[in-house]
């Protein structure tokens, strides 16, 4: 048997992979997921190759033409075509892996969303309309069919973007997907089997029983909707957990800020009390002793002359406050800071970043018995367009490492340990790296 290919067939093959690519790019490119080096070059090379790969379908079509039954039915060769479209999905996932530095679970979970939306649009335009009530129109008025396909594709993916965009912007929204790669693979395979079976029923009944044919389209579409609702609920739950964690972190930061302010007020009150007695004592002293006493007074108030002028108001406030706390604990802070190098960072992020970094350094130095070793060094500068931040401190030689991360040394693991994780989150938010 000979197959006659027409422009409609070419359009459908290009359309399938192109729509999947568009859906995947909408879910990955705006997200905080790390892009691989030379991303623009990679995407300019891989995207045309992926689209052109769809033309291999016609080579397969031609090669199996002689094996088609005399009645024109494909028989078991339908599995060949199902396998081909599954192969294109795998290629699209590999393309995402080529472009983005992330895990298999995240790639498959997001590609699953893109494919479900693409398949919904395909079921409506190709099956229900193109092969159903407007069967002749898709051939005789191909330009109109193409226009309808473009409009429905735009509407469907606009809907996808509006529904899932708020989740894609969150850094750790896919965190629980990282360890479920094989689960998503199995889930995807089951979904493909269901949709391909529905398509088989549709093709079998479209000429004889229109109601059963459209019922297959309904079941096919409903399966995709159920998957999308499930993904939406998973992302909603993950977002709720992230927001809860951020609220706990913010509460912990406020409590810590309250304690530090109370500690600073205590220091000031104590010094004020001491200064009153020193000033009263100066009245009855000889001039020689007054000079010596004035030196002591000057030494006592020098702690308040700890203001910083870094070029960044937030850094000035943080370092002035932390140095006051450090002085009380006999810890020396030395710094070379170009605050303008960090002007691109949000003020709240800056406060959390350096608040936690300096708190950790102060806590580590405080454990040292030798006061001369209690030193913290901070160096912030611009290096070839990159912001370089170095916070160094002496410590007791014990690092609480868990894998590639650090663990809190406090006994209460539930309400502590957010500090280092907060540092990591903020650095990753601005596409940076942490080395310790």
């Amino acid at each position: 048997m000979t197959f006659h290919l027409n422009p409609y067939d070419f359009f459908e093959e290009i359309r399938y992979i192109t729509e999947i690519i568009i859906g995947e790019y909408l879910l990955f490119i705006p997200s905080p997921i790390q892009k691989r080096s030379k991303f623009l070059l990679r995407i300019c090379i891989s995207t045309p190759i992926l689209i052109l790969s769809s033309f291999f379908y016609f080579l397969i079509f031609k090669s199996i033409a002689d094996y088609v039954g005399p009645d024109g039915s494909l028989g078991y060769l339908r599995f060949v075509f199902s396998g081909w479209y599954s192969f294109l999905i795998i290629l699209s996932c590999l393309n995402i892996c080529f472009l983005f530095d992330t895990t298999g679970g995240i790639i498959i979970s997001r590609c699953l969303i893109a494919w479900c939306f693409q398949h919904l649009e395909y079921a409506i335009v190709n099956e229900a309309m193109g092969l159903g009530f407007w069967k002749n129109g898709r051939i005789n008025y191909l330009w109109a069919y193409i226009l309808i396909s473009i409009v429905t594709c735009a509407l469907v993916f606009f809907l996808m973007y509006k529904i899932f965009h708020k989740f894609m912007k969150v850094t750790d929204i896919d965190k629980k997907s990282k360890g479920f790669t094989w689960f998503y693979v199995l889930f995807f395979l089951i979904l493909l089997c269901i949709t391909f079976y529905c398509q088989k029923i549709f093709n079998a009944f479209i000429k004889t029983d229109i109601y059963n044919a459209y019922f297959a389209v309904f079941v096919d579409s409903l399966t995709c909707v159920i998957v999308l609702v499930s993904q939406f609920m998973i992302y909603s739950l993950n977002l709720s957990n992230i927001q809860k964690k951020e609220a706990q972190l913010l509460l912990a930061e406020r409590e810590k800020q309250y304690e530090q302010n109370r500690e600073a007020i205590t220091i000031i009150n104590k010094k004020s009390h001491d200064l009153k007695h020193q000033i009263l004592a100066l009245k009855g002293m000889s001039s020689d002793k007054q000079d010596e006493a004035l030196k002591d007074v000057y030494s006592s108030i020098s702690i308040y002359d700890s203001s910083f002028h870094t070029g960044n108001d937030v850094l000035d406030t943080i370092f002035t406050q932390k140095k006051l706390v450090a002085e009380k604990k006999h810890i020396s802070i030395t710094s070379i800071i170009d605050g303008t190098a960090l002007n691109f960072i949000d003020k709240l992020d800056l406060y959390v970043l350096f608040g936690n970094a300096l708190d950790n350094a102060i806590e580590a130095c405080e454990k040292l018995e030798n006061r001369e070793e209690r030193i913290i060094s901070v160096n912030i500068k611009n290096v070839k367009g990159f912001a370089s931040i170095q916070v160094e401190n002496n410590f007791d030689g014990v690092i609480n490492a868990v894998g590639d991360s650090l663990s809190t040394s406090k006994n209460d693991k539930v309400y502590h340990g957010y500090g280092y994780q907060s540092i990591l989150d903020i650095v990753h938010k601005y596409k940076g790296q942490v080395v310790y």
Side-chain angles (χ1 to χ4, degrees), residues 131-190:
L131 297 176
F133 63 84
W134 204 48
K135 186 175 182 179
N136 294 327
R138 65 188 174 92
I139 303 297
N140 298 330
Y141 302 96
L142 181 60
W143 62 270
Y145 179 78
I146 293 175
L147 181 62
I148 292 171
S149 299
I150 292 173
V151 172
T152 53
C153 175
L155 291 174
V156 166
F157 284 122
F158 175 77
L159 180 64
M160 179 195 74
Y161 185 81
K162 293 294 289 183
I163 293 174
F164 286 95
H165 178 62
K166 65 178 180 180
F167 300 123
M168 301 299 107
K169 295 188 298 181
V170 181
T171 303
D172 285 332
I173 196 70
D174 295 294
K175 196 169 186 179
K176 292 186 178 180
S177 301
K178 294 180 180 179
F180 290 89
T181 301
W182 290 110
F183 168 79
Y184 277 110
V185 169
L186 180 61
F187 190 68
F188 215 149
L189 288 175
I190 294 173

Side-chain angles (χ1 to χ4, degrees), residues 279-286 289-290:
I279 292 171
L280 288 174
L282 283 172
K283 294 180 179 180
M285 291 183 180
S286 61
K289 290 184 178 181
Q290 280 184 350

Side-chain angles (χ1 to χ4, degrees), residues 50-111:
L50 195 56
I51 294 175
L52 290 174
S53 66
S54 62
F55 287 102
F56 281 98
Y57 169 85
F58 300 108
L59 297 178
I60 298 173
F61 217 120
K62 184 178 179 180
S63 66
I64 68 171
D66 296 333
Y67 298 94
V68 177
D71 61 346
S73 63
L74 295 177
Y76 73 90
L77 290 177
R78 288 193 184 279
F79 291 106
V80 175
F81 296 119
S82 299
W84 167 250
Y85 291 117
S86 300
F87 175 69
L88 288 180
I89 295 172
I90 294 173
L91 281 183
S92 72
C93 292
L94 292 176
N95 177 54
I96 295 298
C97 184
F98 176 69
L99 298 175
F100 297 89
D101 185 12
T102 185
T103 64
I106 293 175
I107 290 174
I108 297 174
S109 65
R110 294 196 179 193
C111 288

Side-chain angles (χ1 to χ4, degrees), residues 1 15 20 53 82-83 126 133 197 217 232 234 244 264 270 288 299 305 320 322 324 376 430:
M1 181 178 179
R15 169 192 171 193
I20 290 177
S53 66
S82 299
N126 180 271
F133 63 84
Y197 184 73
V217 175
F232 181 85
I234 291 172
K244 181 179 178 182
K270 182 178 181 300
D288 293 337
S299 177
D305 190 23
T320 299
K322 298 302 179 184
L324 187 64
I376 299 172
Y430 294 93

Side-chain angles (χ1 to χ4, degrees), residues 107-135:
I107 290 174
I108 297 174
S109 65
R110 294 196 179 193
C111 288
L112 179 64
I113 295 172
W115 183 84
C116 283
F117 273 101
Q118 185 279 331
H119 193 70
L120 276 173
E121 191 264 346
Y122 172 85
I124 295 170
V125 177
N126 180 271
E127 292 181 341
M129 186 183 75
L131 297 176
F133 63 84
W134 204 48
K135 186 175 182 179

